Amino acid sequence: MQRAVTVPASTLDDRSTAYRDELDFSLEVAQRAGAVLMDRYERLEQIDYKSARDVVTEADHLSEALILDAIRARYPDDAILAEETGEHRAIAGEAPTSGRGRVWIVDPLDGTVNYANGIPVFCVSIALVADGVPVVGVILDPTRGEAFAAAADGPAFLNGRRVRASEKDKLSDFVISMSLNGRTAVSRSRAVRKAIRISRSMGSAALALAYVANGRFDAFVQQGGLSAWDVAAAGLIAERGGATVTAMNGGPWFDLAHSPKSIGILAAPTAHHGALLDLVR
């Protein structure tokens, strides 16, 4: 039986942030949710098909239930927006998508198709948004025992160690995660591929976006298809790692008013962000 690897608490002690309690809570809960996923990895009893491309497993539901129960117990006044069960209003009555107050944004299993097929590329994503702005983000990869984390007032961390986005001098050396759509997608994709070294697709947008924070991906670009739970944590982590993160039009990358699967993001080192943006839009 495969188990999630626990991040030693001692590696988490060098963080100074006004959101220390929420960050530690998110890390601890994400690891417990990751253990649920690993207990059932390659031993699934039920897979439901939401659409031609999306599936949901009993592991999604169990992981989400664990996270939501923990949030309600620790922060009962906060709202929640979760991939599988949707909006949960705050006690004060604020809707999660109002842009007012605090809302936890949860993806209990990003990369469900990978997970259901035994491909070890998936993650748990937990973010806290305050007044419409992501302030805490955690991405846990339970197969590798890796926890990416950041708060809005601090740097990005991987297992407690500070990380930075790519510092490559040349765009031609870039390895990027890319997904474009639209009538000119083929020509734009071709133009990007001519300018970089190579593109890759992981099947977990949240994990791929988090990889920008430590340079595993030099950049991430996805035109549409993303939801708040895909980007809230990972976008913050990439940004605090030093990347410039924007929407595909160059504007702000996070907006709770966006409907599911309507978000596009480009994250790249500041020196190369503009050039990539010109190529993909």
Side-chain angles (χ1 to χ4, degrees):
M1 182 183 300
Q2 302 191 50
R3 298 281 185 180
V5 179
T6 300
V7 180
S10 60
T11 67
L12 307 176
D13 291 338
D14 60 347
R15 294 188 313 279
S16 177
T17 167
Y19 299 99
R20 176 67 183 261
D21 184 74
E22 290 89 346
L23 192 57
D24 286 345
F25 166 80
S26 300
L27 283 161
E28 188 271 330
V29 173
Q31 290 184 59
R32 287 200 283 133
V36 168
L37 299 183
M38 295 309 293
D39 280 345
R40 288 156 182 80
Y41 182 55
E42 296 191 311
R43 300 193 304 112
L44 289 174
E45 296 180 359
Q46 181 179 346
I47 300 175
D48 297 324
Y49 294 86
K50 294 193 289 188
S51 69
R53 295 187 177 182
D54 292 334
V55 301
V56 61
T57 70
E58 76 263 25
D60 291 79
H61 295 301
L62 291 169
S63 175
E64 183 167 297
L66 183 153
I67 297 168
L68 267 58
D69 286 348
I71 293 170
R72 292 188 185 107
R74 184 71 165 268
Y75 304 105
D77 293 333
D78 293 351
I80 302 171
L81 177 62
E83 182 186 16
E84 300 304 333
T85 56
E87 297 188 28
H88 304 258
R89 284 181 175 266
I91 289 177
E94 293 288 358
T97 54
S98 69
R100 297 183 297 273
R102 294 180 18 139
V103 54
W104 293 88
I105 300 183
V106 175
D107 191 339
L109 172 52
D110 185 66
T112 306
V113 172
N114 285 352
Y115 181 85
N117 282 271
I119 300 169
V121 181
F122 51 87
C123 67
V124 177
S125 174
I126 302 175
L128 174 63
V129 173
D131 295 325
V133 178
V135 294
V136 168
V138 166
I139 298 290
L140 176 79
D141 175 356
T143 68
R144 293 173 61 88
E146 292 189 337
F148 291 85
D153 57 353
F157 292 90
L158 170 57
N159 287 1
R161 176 178 56 85
R162 291 190 181 195
V163 291
R164 293 288 300 173
S166 172
E167 297 180 348
K168 290 179 182 176
D169 292 329
K170 298 178 181 179
L171 188 61
S172 58
D173 289 332
F174 272 34
V175 177
I176 75 172
S177 173
M178 181 172 67
S179 176
L180 301 179
N181 59 35
R183 285 186 289 179
T184 62
V186 173
S187 61
R188 286 180 289 121
S189 295
R190 186 182 301 118
V192 174
R193 291 189 177 103
K194 287 181 178 179
I196 65 171
R197 182 175 299 279
I198 200 166
S199 64
R200 288 283 183 261
S201 179
M202 291 177 60
S204 171
L207 191 56
L209 180 53
Y211 276 9
V212 175
N214 71 336
R216 285 183 182 163
F217 277 128
D218 299 295
F220 172 96
V221 55
Q222 182 161 335
Q223 185 177 28
L226 299 173
S227 303
W229 44 81
D230 297 310
V231 302
L236 176 63
I237 292 165
E239 191 171 65
R240 301 311 300 170
T244 295
V245 185
T246 68
M248 294 293 290
N249 63 4
W253 62 272
F254 189 79
D255 185 347
L256 277 169
H258 281 301
S259 59
K261 298 188 180 299
S262 68
I263 297 171
I265 276 189
L266 193 154
T270 302
H272 299 284
H273 183 276
L276 278 172
L277 195 60
D278 288 341
L279 287 169
V280 300
R281 65 178 177 176

